[in-house]
Amino acid sequence: MKEFLQKLIQADTTSDKGELAAAQIIAAELGLSGIDSRIDSWGQTRANIVAHIKSTGQKAPLLFVCHLDVVVPGEAAWSHPPFAAVESDGKIYGRGSADMKGGIATIVTAIRQVVDTGTRLQGDIILLCAAGEETDSCGVRRFMHERSWLSEPAGIIIPEPTDFAVVTAHRGMIWLKVTTKGKTAHSSAPELGVNAISSMRAFLDELDKYKIDVQPHPLWGSYSMSVNTISGGKAMNVVPDQCTVGIDIRTLPGQNHERIINDFKQIFAWLKQQNPTFNAEVSVDRAVEAMETDPQCSFVREFCAAVGANETKAVGFTTDAPHLRPLGAPIVIFGPGKPELCHKPDEYIDVSDVETAVEHYKKIILKFLL
Ligand SMILES: [Zn+2]
């Protein structure tokens, strides 16, 4: 299995490269146990892979949902090359080792081991490894669009790295772009133009005072908001006519994204009252709803019993889970790897965690499908 994981890491699936190579590696691995899978590919390099392990059909299926893509390694130096999958000190290093090729390698291995032993299951296993989770969730949205063949699962498991915590809730997010518009002028006579950067400063001052009106949540407390990008201005001697900031807001379950956008528009209106040359617009760059599964539901309780967990947790990061809500099934995030290593240099996964994960996933499959 280690070699399988290493091959998956070596298949660079950052957004430029696409997911097809990794999907082919998974298809070949499943094929070793005679498991058919279907690669759904588009745009030359993008791909989902779906495997459907049929059973007697007396029980509802289990759906496992992974993502094939990884984020870029970034500018910082790595101790081991990010796509070499070097093993050292009981760890395998590489981009995606934790998020989430470790999860993919272990669920595929667990499914293979169940199939190889000839266990007669009473419910189907469906495995989806999807494209684009780190960017626009294109893979899971495509899967959901063509899901007419899929009956309601007993539960959905997302093998993202939780360090074996049973996660039943995550925050949502909305990325907003705010652009202020002005008028260019020669900077020796700035009074003839409208400086878009000055307008942005006025907006950011207001944003500092702004609080979203929302009840604190028992698991997370409050939402978070951070201005993370800014661009504007073309030349040292030209008054800028445009300035754009990117704002990442992490939201709570039930929090209304539309209302935040309306609040922004009200701030614009107020600033325009103060200064008629103020002009701004807001657009949504990306939005993911929050996810919350009832930790007391029977699926979660049985899941916890299967993996020996006494509690469930909530996390700050997002997943493809909200897109799966129309399936009507409880969703649990559970997998090997430390979440704090995700998207960072020197990402790794412990080989011992990989082995433990296979045992957990086998127990889960047998608990619900035997
Ligand atoms: Zn992930």
Side-chain angles (χ1 to χ4, degrees):
M1 177 190 43
K2 241 165 39 184
E3 293 76 40
F4 170 44
L5 171 57
Q6 286 170 312
K7 271 193 262 175
L8 277 177
I9 295 168
Q10 285 157 3
D12 173 353
T13 52
T14 49
S15 61
D16 288 359
K17 299 279 167 44
E19 299 85 359
L20 185 57
Q24 286 164 340
I25 292 165
I26 294 165
E29 186 76 11
L30 288 164
L32 297 175
S33 296
I35 302 167
D36 282 336
S37 56
R38 192 175 73 84
I39 294 178
D40 170 23
S41 79
W42 65 97
Q44 297 187 340
T45 58
R46 308 307 304 274
N48 284 346
I49 176 168
V50 177
H52 187 172
I53 294 89
K54 299 244 170 61
S55 67
T56 60
Q58 285 144 297
K59 291 188 173 175
L62 276 187
L63 172 62
F64 291 88
V65 179
C66 307
H67 66 84
L68 293 165
D69 59 318
V70 297
V71 295
V72 291
E75 302 299 322
W78 287 54
S79 316
H80 304 283
F83 297 105
V86 170
E87 185 180 357
S88 171
D89 294 332
K91 300 175 172 72
I92 294 176
Y93 286 86
R95 173 54 83 225
S97 52
D99 185 15
M100 62 171 289
K101 287 172 172 173
I104 296 175
T106 50
I107 183 57
V108 167
T109 303
I111 292 172
R112 280 192 59 204
Q113 289 184 6
V114 170
V115 168
D116 287 347
T117 50
T119 313
R120 263 174 75 84
L121 298 177
Q122 297 189 51
D124 296 0
I125 306 171
I126 298 149
L127 170 68
L128 163 67
C129 301
E133 190 263 356
E134 302 286 4
T135 51
D136 57 2
S137 296
C138 56
V140 76
R141 286 193 283 120
R142 197 173 160 99
F143 171 83
M144 289 298 286
H145 195 67
E146 297 161 356
R147 69 171 198 275
S148 51
W149 54 274
L150 179 65
S151 57
E152 186 179 323
I156 300 167
I157 298 116
I158 301 184
E160 288 266 15
T162 65
D163 209 10
F164 301 118
V166 178
V167 170
T168 54
H170 66 62
R171 292 198 293 187
M173 71 180 190
I174 180 163
W175 291 351
L176 294 177
K177 274 205 167 134
V178 169
T179 299
T180 50
K181 300 268 172 76
K183 198 170 103 188
T184 56
H186 196 287
S187 55
S188 61
E191 67 281 2
L192 299 178
V194 176
N195 191 315
I197 293 176
S198 301
S199 300
M200 184 57 79
R201 184 182 56 200
F203 169 71
L204 292 176
D205 283 346
E206 284 310 304
L207 193 67
D208 273 346
K209 294 180 231 159
Y210 166 65
K211 294 262 178 301
I212 302 174
D213 182 19
V214 62
Q215 286 295 319
H217 189 279
L219 295 173
W220 293 283
S222 192
Y223 67 92
S224 70
M225 176 159 63
S226 178
V227 180
N228 294 338
T229 63
I230 185 162
S231 65
K234 288 250 161 41
M236 286 296 278
N237 56 358
V238 180
V239 173
D241 63 351
Q242 194 157 311
C243 181
T244 300
V245 293
I247 305 164
D248 180 359
I249 304 170
R250 299 300 168 117
T251 56
L252 304 174
Q255 196 169 349
N256 186 331
H257 288 179
E258 261 326 294
R259 200 191 292 168
I260 301 170
I261 294 167
N262 281 333
D263 287 352
F264 274 43
K265 288 179 178 165
Q266 280 184 14
I267 295 173
F268 299 162
W270 189 84
L271 287 167
K272 202 170 177 65
Q273 265 179 20
Q274 311 303 306
N275 178 357
T277 66
F278 181 88
N279 191 358
E281 55 194 40
V282 58
S283 62
V284 179
D285 196 58
R286 193 180 178 200
V288 179
E289 297 285 322
M291 186 285 273
E292 195 170 31
T293 296
D294 176 6
Q296 297 305 326
C297 75
S298 63
F299 176 77
V300 173
R301 280 190 280 121
E302 285 182 51
F303 189 99
C304 287
V307 301
N310 309 319
E311 53 168 15
T312 61
K313 271 194 177 169
V315 290
F317 61 81
T318 64
T319 69
D320 272 340
H323 296 283
L324 302 163
R325 201 178 295 144
L327 295 174
I331 304 173
V332 161
I333 309 166
F334 176 86
K338 297 184 175 33
E340 61 271 22
L341 299 175
C342 299
H343 302 199
K344 298 215 181 110
D346 289 334
E347 179 182 347
Y348 67 83
I349 194 159
D350 286 303
V351 174
S352 60
D353 281 356
V354 171
E355 286 157 4
T356 306
V358 174
E359 295 311 311
H360 279 314
Y361 291 136
K362 280 198 290 189
K363 278 187 219 151
I364 294 159
I365 291 168
L366 299 179
K367 174 100 178 174
F368 289 100
L369 302 181
L370 204 59

mmCIF file of all heavy atoms in Angstrom, residues 66-67 69-71 98-101 133-134 158-161 317-320 342-343 347, ligand 1:
data_model
loop_
_atom_site.group_PDB
_atom_site.id
_atom_site.type_symbol
_atom_site.label_atom_id
_atom_site.label_comp_id
_atom_site.label_asym_id
_atom_site.label_seq_id
_atom_site.Cartn_x
_atom_site.Cartn_y
_atom_site.Cartn_z
ATOM 1 N N CYS A 66 -13.707 11.314 -1.558
ATOM 2 C CA CYS A 66 -12.355 11.875 -1.429
ATOM 3 C C CYS A 66 -12.155 12.951 -2.491
ATOM 4 O O CYS A 66 -12.966 13.085 -3.399
ATOM 5 C CB CYS A 66 -11.314 10.780 -1.672
ATOM 6 S SG CYS A 66 -11.548 9.305 -0.669
ATOM 7 N N HIS A 67 -11.046 13.698 -2.380
ATOM 8 C CA HIS A 67 -10.684 14.578 -3.495
ATOM 9 C C HIS A 67 -9.281 14.258 -3.984
ATOM 10 O O HIS A 67 -8.383 13.956 -3.190
ATOM 11 C CB HIS A 67 -10.843 16.060 -3.153
ATOM 12 C CG HIS A 67 -9.928 16.587 -2.103
ATOM 13 N ND1 HIS A 67 -8.645 17.008 -2.365
ATOM 14 C CD2 HIS A 67 -10.103 16.776 -0.761
ATOM 15 C CE1 HIS A 67 -8.087 17.445 -1.244
ATOM 16 N NE2 HIS A 67 -8.933 17.305 -0.254
ATOM 17 N N ASP A 69 -7.387 16.331 -6.030
ATOM 18 C CA ASP A 69 -6.516 17.485 -6.255
ATOM 19 C C ASP A 69 -5.782 17.893 -4.984
ATOM 20 O O ASP A 69 -6.199 17.557 -3.865
ATOM 21 C CB ASP A 69 -7.334 18.672 -6.798
ATOM 22 C CG ASP A 69 -8.457 19.099 -5.852
ATOM 23 O OD1 ASP A 69 -9.133 18.215 -5.298
ATOM 24 O OD2 ASP A 69 -8.650 20.314 -5.651
ATOM 25 N N VAL A 70 -4.686 18.589 -5.181
ATOM 26 C CA VAL A 70 -3.891 19.123 -4.058
ATOM 27 C C VAL A 70 -3.608 20.600 -4.335
ATOM 28 O O VAL A 70 -3.713 21.050 -5.476
ATOM 29 C CB VAL A 70 -2.540 18.372 -3.887
ATOM 30 C CG1 VAL A 70 -2.758 16.918 -3.540
ATOM 31 C CG2 VAL A 70 -1.651 18.514 -5.117
ATOM 32 N N VAL A 71 -3.231 21.314 -3.279
ATOM 33 C CA VAL A 71 -2.850 22.719 -3.478
ATOM 34 C C VAL A 71 -1.376 22.788 -3.889
ATOM 35 O O VAL A 71 -0.619 21.839 -3.673
ATOM 36 C CB VAL A 71 -3.106 23.586 -2.211
ATOM 37 C CG1 VAL A 71 -4.596 23.668 -1.907
ATOM 38 C CG2 VAL A 71 -2.334 23.062 -1.014
ATOM 39 N N ALA A 98 -1.054 14.115 3.463
ATOM 40 C CA ALA A 98 -2.136 14.147 4.454
ATOM 41 C C ALA A 98 -3.455 14.552 3.793
ATOM 42 O O ALA A 98 -4.499 13.950 4.057
ATOM 43 C CB ALA A 98 -1.770 15.133 5.579
ATOM 44 N N ASP A 99 -3.413 15.556 2.958
ATOM 45 C CA ASP A 99 -4.636 16.142 2.364
ATOM 46 C C ASP A 99 -4.682 15.897 0.870
ATOM 47 O O ASP A 99 -4.233 16.710 0.108
ATOM 48 C CB ASP A 99 -4.646 17.641 2.688
ATOM 49 C CG ASP A 99 -5.912 18.322 2.226
ATOM 50 O OD1 ASP A 99 -6.882 17.615 1.927
ATOM 51 O OD2 ASP A 99 -5.933 19.561 2.147
ATOM 52 N N MET A 100 -5.312 14.796 0.392
ATOM 53 C CA MET A 100 -5.774 13.687 1.174
ATOM 54 C C MET A 100 -5.514 12.376 0.474
ATOM 55 O O MET A 100 -6.349 11.509 0.386
ATOM 56 C CB MET A 100 -7.262 13.854 1.510
ATOM 57 C CG MET A 100 -8.140 13.877 0.266
ATOM 58 S SD MET A 100 -9.915 13.819 0.718
ATOM 59 C CE MET A 100 -10.081 12.137 1.313
ATOM 60 N N LYS A 101 -4.271 12.272 -0.055
ATOM 61 C CA LYS A 101 -3.928 11.023 -0.738
ATOM 62 C C LYS A 101 -3.716 9.888 0.262
ATOM 63 O O LYS A 101 -3.915 8.715 -0.085
ATOM 64 C CB LYS A 101 -2.734 11.250 -1.651
ATOM 65 C CG LYS A 101 -3.186 12.075 -2.864
ATOM 66 C CD LYS A 101 -2.107 12.545 -3.770
ATOM 67 C CE LYS A 101 -2.753 13.178 -5.010
ATOM 68 N NZ LYS A 101 -1.741 13.817 -5.876
ATOM 69 N N GLU A 133 -11.644 19.901 -5.455
ATOM 70 C CA GLU A 133 -12.183 20.289 -4.144
ATOM 71 C C GLU A 133 -11.517 21.558 -3.617
ATOM 72 O O GLU A 133 -12.145 22.366 -2.930
ATOM 73 C CB GLU A 133 -11.995 19.145 -3.136
ATOM 74 C CG GLU A 133 -12.720 19.345 -1.813
ATOM 75 C CD GLU A 133 -11.853 19.914 -0.701
ATOM 76 O OE1 GLU A 133 -10.630 20.107 -0.912
ATOM 77 O OE2 GLU A 133 -12.396 20.176 0.377
ATOM 78 N N GLU A 134 -10.230 21.723 -3.956
ATOM 79 C CA GLU A 134 -9.485 22.866 -3.418
ATOM 80 C C GLU A 134 -9.796 24.164 -4.165
ATOM 81 O O GLU A 134 -9.367 25.235 -3.740
ATOM 82 C CB GLU A 134 -7.972 22.597 -3.481
ATOM 83 C CG GLU A 134 -7.507 21.347 -2.726
ATOM 84 C CD GLU A 134 -7.509 21.520 -1.210
ATOM 85 O OE1 GLU A 134 -7.947 22.575 -0.720
ATOM 86 O OE2 GLU A 134 -7.069 20.581 -0.530
ATOM 87 N N ILE A 158 -16.090 11.083 4.664
ATOM 88 C CA ILE A 158 -15.090 11.859 3.927
ATOM 89 C C ILE A 158 -13.741 11.621 4.605
ATOM 90 O O ILE A 158 -13.516 12.095 5.723
ATOM 91 C CB ILE A 158 -15.455 13.353 3.922
ATOM 92 C CG1 ILE A 158 -16.835 13.527 3.257
ATOM 93 C CG2 ILE A 158 -14.384 14.172 3.213
ATOM 94 C CD1 ILE A 158 -17.286 14.960 3.084
ATOM 95 N N PRO A 159 -12.836 10.856 3.955
ATOM 96 C CA PRO A 159 -11.558 10.501 4.610
ATOM 97 C C PRO A 159 -10.507 11.614 4.596
ATOM 98 O O PRO A 159 -9.344 11.382 4.327
ATOM 99 C CB PRO A 159 -11.085 9.276 3.810
ATOM 100 C CG PRO A 159 -12.267 8.815 3.033
ATOM 101 C CD PRO A 159 -13.061 10.058 2.746
ATOM 102 N N GLU A 160 -10.914 12.822 4.901
ATOM 103 C CA GLU A 160 -9.967 13.945 5.027
ATOM 104 C C GLU A 160 -9.174 13.760 6.317
ATOM 105 O O GLU A 160 -9.631 13.103 7.254
ATOM 106 C CB GLU A 160 -10.739 15.270 5.125
ATOM 107 C CG GLU A 160 -11.382 15.722 3.839
ATOM 108 C CD GLU A 160 -10.512 16.688 3.037
ATOM 109 O OE1 GLU A 160 -9.305 16.794 3.330
ATOM 110 O OE2 GLU A 160 -11.056 17.300 2.112
ATOM 111 N N PRO A 161 -7.988 14.396 6.415
ATOM 112 C CA PRO A 161 -7.180 14.222 7.625
ATOM 113 C C PRO A 161 -7.814 14.873 8.852
ATOM 114 O O PRO A 161 -7.926 16.107 8.906
ATOM 115 C CB PRO A 161 -5.857 14.904 7.268
ATOM 116 C CG PRO A 161 -6.201 15.861 6.179
ATOM 117 C CD PRO A 161 -7.338 15.253 5.416
ATOM 118 N N PHE A 317 -11.844 24.057 8.847
ATOM 119 C CA PHE A 317 -11.685 23.970 7.390
ATOM 120 C C PHE A 317 -12.971 23.469 6.737
ATOM 121 O O PHE A 317 -13.848 22.948 7.402
ATOM 122 C CB PHE A 317 -10.488 23.078 7.019
ATOM 123 C CG PHE A 317 -10.569 21.638 7.475
ATOM 124 C CD1 PHE A 317 -11.300 20.704 6.763
ATOM 125 C CD2 PHE A 317 -9.886 21.206 8.613
ATOM 126 C CE1 PHE A 317 -11.360 19.372 7.167
ATOM 127 C CE2 PHE A 317 -9.935 19.879 9.030
ATOM 128 C CZ PHE A 317 -10.687 18.966 8.305
ATOM 129 N N THR A 318 -13.068 23.662 5.421
ATOM 130 C CA THR A 318 -14.271 23.231 4.706
ATOM 131 C C THR A 318 -13.962 21.988 3.861
ATOM 132 O O THR A 318 -12.795 21.645 3.650
ATOM 133 C CB THR A 318 -14.803 24.327 3.769
ATOM 134 O OG1 THR A 318 -13.818 24.571 2.767
ATOM 135 C CG2 THR A 318 -15.105 25.603 4.516
ATOM 136 N N THR A 319 -15.026 21.322 3.407
ATOM 137 C CA THR A 319 -14.888 20.141 2.544
ATOM 138 C C THR A 319 -15.971 20.204 1.467
ATOM 139 O O THR A 319 -16.741 21.154 1.405
ATOM 140 C CB THR A 319 -15.096 18.832 3.341
ATOM 141 O OG1 THR A 319 -16.483 18.765 3.721
ATOM 142 C CG2 THR A 319 -14.228 18.761 4.578
ATOM 143 N N ASP A 320 -16.039 19.126 0.678
ATOM 144 C CA ASP A 320 -17.099 19.012 -0.332
ATOM 145 C C ASP A 320 -18.448 18.625 0.290
ATOM 146 O O ASP A 320 -19.450 18.521 -0.422
ATOM 147 C CB ASP A 320 -16.711 17.948 -1.372
ATOM 148 C CG ASP A 320 -15.894 18.536 -2.526
ATOM 149 O OD1 ASP A 320 -15.963 19.767 -2.724
ATOM 150 O OD2 ASP A 320 -15.221 17.764 -3.229
ATOM 151 N N CYS A 342 -1.886 20.430 6.622
ATOM 152 C CA CYS A 342 -2.467 20.656 5.298
ATOM 153 C C CYS A 342 -2.039 22.004 4.743
ATOM 154 O O CYS A 342 -1.997 22.991 5.475
ATOM 155 C CB CYS A 342 -3.988 20.630 5.368
ATOM 156 S SG CYS A 342 -4.625 19.062 5.925
ATOM 157 N N HIS A 343 -1.748 22.016 3.452
ATOM 158 C CA HIS A 343 -1.432 23.244 2.696
ATOM 159 C C HIS A 343 -0.127 23.884 3.174
ATOM 160 O O HIS A 343 0.119 25.047 2.899
ATOM 161 C CB HIS A 343 -2.573 24.277 2.773
ATOM 162 C CG HIS A 343 -3.890 23.767 2.258
ATOM 163 N ND1 HIS A 343 -4.915 24.600 1.878
ATOM 164 C CD2 HIS A 343 -4.351 22.509 2.040
ATOM 165 C CE1 HIS A 343 -5.948 23.874 1.460
ATOM 166 N NE2 HIS A 343 -5.632 22.605 1.567
ATOM 167 N N GLU A 347 4.600 18.830 4.351
ATOM 168 C CA GLU A 347 3.426 17.997 4.679
ATOM 169 C C GLU A 347 3.856 16.527 4.673
ATOM 170 O O GLU A 347 4.630 16.101 3.825
ATOM 171 C CB GLU A 347 2.352 18.242 3.596
ATOM 172 C CG GLU A 347 1.076 17.433 3.789
ATOM 173 C CD GLU A 347 0.055 17.682 2.653
ATOM 174 O OE1 GLU A 347 0.230 18.631 1.870
ATOM 175 O OE2 GLU A 347 -0.903 16.898 2.577
HETATM 176 ZN ZN ZN B 1 -8.678 18.074 1.684
#
